[in-house]
Amino acid sequence: MPYGVYATLGNHDLYGHEQPIVQALRAAGVQLLNDEVIRLTHQGQVLWLMGRFDNHKRQRVHD
């Protein structure tokens, strides 16, 4: 892929399975965006990608 592959975790990914999911995505070459913004340019046009971390994580039961 010319610009890479990006992802952000969804709210259900954070119910006790966050680390295995993160490890699998990273092993597959996926760049995770957690409260991050990436600026891409394609044919002179700007595209902003934003990964927003689920802000309810503090309310979940920890592993």
Side-chain angles (χ1 to χ4, degrees):
M1 305 294 299
Y3 299 103
V5 178
Y6 300 89
T8 190
L9 298 180
N11 62 327
H12 289 271
D13 297 329
L14 303 175
Y15 282 96
H17 303 288
E18 178 180 353
Q19 287 309 310
I21 293 169
V22 167
Q23 291 170 356
L25 288 170
R26 288 188 176 146
V30 176
Q31 182 175 341
L32 289 174
L33 300 177
N34 290 319
D35 286 339
E36 298 175 74
V37 177
I38 299 283
R39 180 179 188 254
L40 301 174
T41 303
H42 177 71
Q43 297 179 351
Q45 299 293 312
V46 173
L47 172 68
W48 293 94
L49 296 179
M50 182 178 87
R52 183 72 176 113
F53 201 70
D54 185 320
N55 63 356
H56 297 289
K57 184 179 179 190
R58 289 179 302 250
Q59 299 169 1
R60 292 193 177 89
V61 176
H62 294 286
D63 294 350

